DNA sequence: GCTAATATCGAG
DNA sequence: CTCGATATTAGC
C-alpha cells in the first residue's frame, strides 16, 4: 500500500507548503509533504497511473475512508452506485460544525466533490489519517482558500454549482471543465515549473485543481479563473480534447443540483467527457470498461460513440451512472478505482 | 511488421 | 444491453 500512496502523494504534491502538513498525522503523510515540492512531475503521474491500472497495489481509499466518516463522506468515498440517493440527502446535513471551528489547517476544503466539500474539516483530517492522507490533502491546497468563502455562503447551493454536467447541457457543454480550469491559479504561484513541463503529460495537477475544488462548475468562479490563466498551460489540454472553448459557458444553466444519479444524465455529455478523460490519462477503453464499468471494450466504445438519450435507456442507465460518477470523483479516487477494479 | 487500441457488428 | 470476434487504425 504504502508505495502506491507515496507515489500518489508525490504527484499531487503541491508546491506550496502549508496546511497539508498539519493535517497529516499518518506516517506516510510526511513523506508526501517532503516531496511536495516536486510539482512538475507529470511523468510521475503518468507512471503512477499506469501502475494503478495494472492493479499492482491494492489499497482502496474509498473504503477506508468510509468507515470512519459520517454518512455523507461515506457516500462520496464509496463510490458505490447506491450512493446517489444518499448524495442529495446528505448535502444538507453536512454543514456541521465546521470551518469556523476549525483552524485553517484543517479547513482546507480541498474536497473534490462539490457536495460535501465544504464542511467537516474535522473529518477530513481524520480521513487523511486513516486513509492515506497523502493524496487527499494535496488537492486542496490549491485554491481552495478562496473557495472556503464561497462555500460558507452557500452551504448547499454549492452542490449545484459544482455539478459540471448538466443534464441539459446538451452534448458538449461541459466536457472540458476539468481541463482548463485551473490554469487560473497561476502557474507561477504554486506549480511553478511543472505545468509547463508537462506538455505531453497531462495536466494532472491542473485537472485536479480544477475539478477538485470547484473546477468547472460555478460559472462565476470559472470565468474569474479563466481570466487569470496564463499562456503556458494551453498546451496541457492540447493532448486531450479541445472541446473546451465553447464549453465553458455551459455553466450558465446548470440545473441539476443534486444530480448524482437520481437525475437524468446527459449521456452525450458524459460520453464526451469520459472519452476526453480517457485520452488525457491514456486509459485504454478496455481497462476503463472492465474496471469501472464492468463491461467490455466494445460495449464502452459503442456507448461512447453512440450514446442513447437518457430517456431511451433502460438498464443501460446504470452504465452511464458509473461513468458519471467516475467523472465526479477526484483524481486519486479515480485512480484507485481503476486499480482496484482489476484486483 | 508487430502490437495495442479502438471501431464495428452479429449473436445471445 | 452486452459480449465477443473481427476489422481497422495508430504507434513503434
Amino acid at each position: 500500500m504504502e508505495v502506491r500512496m507515496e507515489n500518489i502523494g508525490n504527484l499531487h504534491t503541491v508546491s506550496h507548503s502549508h496546511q497539508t502538513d498539519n493535517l497529516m498525522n499518518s506516517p506516510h503523510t510526511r513523506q508526501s509533504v517532503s516531496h511536495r515540492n516536486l510539482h512538475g512531475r507529470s511523468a510521475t503521474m503518468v507512471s503512477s497511473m499506469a501502475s494503478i491500472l495494472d492493479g499492482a497495489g491494492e489499497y482502496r481509499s474509498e473504503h477506508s475512508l468510509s468507515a470512519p466518516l459520517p454518512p455523507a463522506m461515506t457516500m462520496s468515498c464509496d463510490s458505490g452506485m447506491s450512493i446517489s440517493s444518499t448524495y442529495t440527502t446528505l448535502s444538507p446535513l453536512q454543514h456541521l460544525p465546521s470551518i469556523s471551528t476549525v483552524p485553517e489547517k484543517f479547513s482546507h476544503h480541498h474536497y473534490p466533490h462539490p457536495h460535501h466539500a465544504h464542511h467537516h474539516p474535522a473529518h477530513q483530517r481524520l480521513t487523511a489519517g486513516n486513509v492515506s492522507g497523502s493524496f487527499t490533502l494535496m488537492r486542496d491546497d490549491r485554491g481552495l482558500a478562496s473557495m472556503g468563502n464561497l462555500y460558507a455562503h452557500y452551504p448547499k447551493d454549492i452542490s449545484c454549482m459544482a455539478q459540471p454536467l448538466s443534464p441539459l447541457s446538451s452534448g458538449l457543454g461541459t466536457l472540458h471543465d476539468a481541463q482548463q480550469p485551473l490554469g487560473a491559479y497561476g502557474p507561477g504561484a504554486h506549480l511553478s515549473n511543472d505545468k509547463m513541463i508537462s506538455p505531453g503529460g497531462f495536466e494532472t495537477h491542473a485537472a485536479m485543481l480544477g475539478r477538485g475544488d470547484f473546477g468547472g462548475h460555478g460559472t462565476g468562479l470559472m470565468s474569474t479563473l479563466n481570466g487569470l490563466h496564463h499562456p503556458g498551460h494551453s498546451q496541457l489540454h492540447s493532448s486531450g480534447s479541445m472541446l473546451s472553448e465553447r464549453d465553458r459557458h455551459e455553466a450558465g444553466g446548470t440545473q441539476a443540483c443534486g444530480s448524482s444519479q437520481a437525475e437524468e444524465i446527459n449521456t452525450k455529455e458524459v460520453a464526451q467527457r469520459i472519452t476526453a478523460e480517457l485520452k488525457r490519462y491514456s486509459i485504454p477503453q478496455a481497462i476503463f470498461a472492465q474496471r469501472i464499468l464492468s463491461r467490455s471494450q466494445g460495449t464502452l466504445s459503442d456507448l461512447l460513440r453512440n450514446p442513447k438519450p437518457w430517456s431511451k435507456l433502460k438498464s443501460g442507465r446504470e452504465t452511464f451512472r458509473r461513468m458519471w460518477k467516475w467523472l465526479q470523483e477526484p483524481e486519486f479516487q479515480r485512480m484507485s478505482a481503476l486499480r482496484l477494479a482489476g484486483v
Side-chain angles (χ1 to χ4, degrees):
Chain A
M1 306 176 53
E2 304 189 10
V3 178
R4 265 194 185 337
M5 302 178 65
E6 293 186 354
N7 297 336
I8 298 174
N10 300 336
L11 306 173
H12 307 60
T13 344
V14 185
S15 42
H16 19 345
S17 35
H18 27 315
Q19 2 189 342
T20 317
D21 311 359
N22 304 328
L23 319 174
M24 344 219 38
N25 310 321
S26 58
H28 306 65
T29 311
R30 308 176 171 185
Q31 301 183 354
S32 50
V33 176
S34 47
H35 303 85
R36 43 169 79 219
N37 310 320
L38 338 164
H39 0 359
R41 34 214 67 244
S42 41
T44 314
M45 264 307 266
V46 180
S47 52
S48 57
M49 282 293 283
S51 40
I52 293 172
L53 298 178
D54 293 353
E58 7 186 305
Y59 71 94
R60 353 184 117 190
S61 47
E62 342 189 330
H63 302 87
S64 357
L65 298 171
S66 27
L69 315 170
M73 289 298 286
T74 312
M75 27 182 280
S76 51
C77 305
D78 284 13
S79 63
M81 23 219 81
S82 39
I83 309 160
S84 34
S85 41
T86 329
Y87 237 67
T88 315
T89 311
L90 303 175
S91 321
L93 308 177
Q94 312 198 353
H95 352 43
L96 313 163
S98 20
I99 314 175
S100 45
T101 315
V102 187
E104 298 194 351
K105 359 153 104 198
F106 302 113
S107 56
H108 34 354
H109 351 284
H110 44 312
Y111 232 104
H113 296 256
H115 307 65
H116 5 36
H118 16 325
H119 351 56
H120 19 294
H123 301 80
Q124 300 186 353
R125 175 238 244 137
L126 297 175
T127 310
N130 300 332
V131 186
S132 35
S134 344
F135 19 53
T136 311
L137 334 159
M138 21 180 184
R139 41 196 45 272
D140 38 56
D141 318 78
R142 325 57 212 308
L144 311 208
S146 44
M147 301 284 309
N149 306 332
L150 303 174
Y151 287 147
H153 303 104
Y154 322 74
K156 80 177 307 190
D157 296 75
I158 311 172
S159 14
C160 306
M161 307 189 47
Q163 298 289 344
L165 284 185
S166 30
L168 329 169
S169 48
S170 33
L172 352 148
T174 353
L175 330 168
H176 54 319
D177 349 8
Q179 6 241 29
Q180 25 197 350
L182 312 209
Y185 288 98
H190 331 70
L191 325 163
S192 25
N193 354 312
D194 355 7
K195 334 192 101 195
M196 340 228 354
I197 306 172
S198 50
F202 316 92
E203 32 171 6
T204 315
H205 357 299
M208 309 183 53
L209 304 173
R211 29 184 90 230
D213 333 309
F214 21 75
H217 343 45
T219 316
L221 298 175
M222 284 301 285
S223 50
T224 311
L225 298 174
N226 292 332
L228 311 177
H229 81 279
H230 33 318
H233 304 29
S234 37
Q235 319 183 351
L236 302 174
H237 350 38
S238 56
S239 52
S241 48
M242 29 240 352
L243 348 138
S244 25
E245 302 300 15
R246 22 134 103 254
D247 310 316
R248 2 186 109 205
H249 351 5
E250 44 171 319
T254 315
Q255 46 314 54
C257 296
S259 56
S260 6
Q261 44 148 49
E263 302 299 342
E264 310 193 351
I265 291 173
N266 187 331
T267 57
K268 222 182 159 187
E269 184 179 308
V270 171
Q272 297 195 205
R273 289 185 42 160
I274 289 287
T275 301
E277 295 300 288
L278 295 182
K279 278 187 180 178
R280 262 185 163 21
Y281 298 101
S282 298
I283 299 168
Q285 290 182 349
I287 298 296
F288 180 81
Q290 197 174 344
R291 309 210 176 168
I292 306 304
L293 308 178
S294 298
R295 292 281 175 285
S296 65
Q297 177 272 318
T299 298
L300 175 59
S301 178
D302 186 57
L303 292 175
L304 294 178
R305 298 180 72 73
N306 312 306
K308 297 209 303 198
W310 185 255
S311 57
K312 301 243 173 177
L313 289 171
K314 201 194 155 193
S315 59
R317 290 183 178 185
E318 178 53 37
T319 304
F320 276 99
R321 285 202 194 101
R322 290 184 188 176
M323 289 193 272
W324 175 228
K325 211 208 139 191
W326 187 79
L327 283 174
Q328 299 184 333
E329 295 178 345
E331 291 287 326
F332 63 89
Q333 208 163 335
R334 293 182 181 176
M335 296 168 58
S336 59
L338 288 171
R339 129 156 197 273
L340 48 89
V343 181

